Amino acid sequence: MGIEACGLFADAAACAAACTGQDASARTPDGWPAQVGECLGRAIVNGRCDAAAAADCFVPASCENQDVQLIPPEGGRFDVVTAGRADAYDASCGGQGPEAVLALPVRANATVTVEIVQADYDTLIFARRDDCEDGGQEVACNDDFNGLNSLIQFQAEPGLYYIYIDGFGGDSGRSTVRVGVQAR
């Protein structure tokens, strides 16, 4: 079953035009192109396409200087590595470390909670809505909630949210992040 059947694109050529543009953006091999198959796998259940879930796969989730990991709308647990990445963004509560960026499509009004459950460095989390480059779109920021691990919670309306896993004072490393999305 092609993605055209989900109604996302009129035909394969329209899909190729949109997808090639994202593939050509500044992303590493483990970025967006590698995620599309997994994302579409979640969108096709029992041979039927969930058009909203499939659309999430093709949200233009890009940031100029970063690879973006598109995560499912229901959230989950994710291993994140910030070491070796660029320091492209700062937030109201700090930053200055390299960031990993997660893109969360929110389909209905929800409370979003993002928590570092384990890390080997001093973490910092912040989130922006719609535009990852615009610091004015920040919706939450936290440095240190449980020891050096961070937590943010915010009320979300439908849209795309960028979650930045950063390091305080230039710190970087590995962490496990839990993203919870609770409809309200």
Side-chain angles (χ1 to χ4, degrees):
M1 168 184 274
I3 56 173
E4 305 84 43
C6 291
L8 298 174
F9 300 98
D11 53 36
C15 172
C19 300
T20 301
Q22 289 206 39
D23 190 26
S25 66
R27 299 166 192 263
T28 60
D30 61 343
W32 184 84
Q35 297 171 34
V36 172
E38 178 185 330
C39 186
L40 284 174
R42 291 191 305 261
I44 299 172
V45 179
N46 296 327
R48 301 195 62 125
C49 177
D50 177 340
D56 291 339
C57 301
F58 295 95
V59 170
S62 65
C63 297
E64 186 173 323
N65 297 314
Q66 293 282 6
D67 295 323
V68 176
Q69 179 181 350
L70 182 64
I71 62 175
E74 65 274 8
R77 286 175 73 98
F78 309 94
D79 291 324
V80 174
V81 178
T82 60
R85 294 182 174 269
D87 172 20
Y89 307 100
D90 291 322
S92 62
C93 63
Q96 295 84 40
E99 305 91 12
V101 183
L102 311 176
L104 172 68
V106 174
R107 295 189 188 147
N109 291 343
T111 300
V112 175
T113 304
V114 182
E115 178 181 14
I116 304 292
V117 294
Q118 180 179 350
D120 64 4
Y121 68 106
D122 187 354
T123 65
L124 183 140
I125 306 173
F126 60 100
R128 294 178 179 165
R129 181 180 175 163
D130 295 329
D131 183 349
C132 70
E133 304 292 334
D134 184 357
Q137 296 292 317
E138 185 176 298
V139 296
C141 191
N142 177 258
D143 171 43
D144 300 342
F145 173 77
N146 181 11
L148 297 179
N149 292 342
S150 304
L151 178 141
I152 58 172
Q153 187 172 70
F154 57 93
Q155 302 305 310
E157 297 176 348
L160 184 63
Y161 291 80
Y162 292 93
I163 300 165
Y164 303 77
I165 309 304
D166 202 336
F168 180 78
D171 216 354
S172 66
R174 296 179 175 275
S175 60
T176 301
V177 180
R178 184 185 62 78
V179 178
V181 180
Q182 180 68 45
R184 56 178 169 93

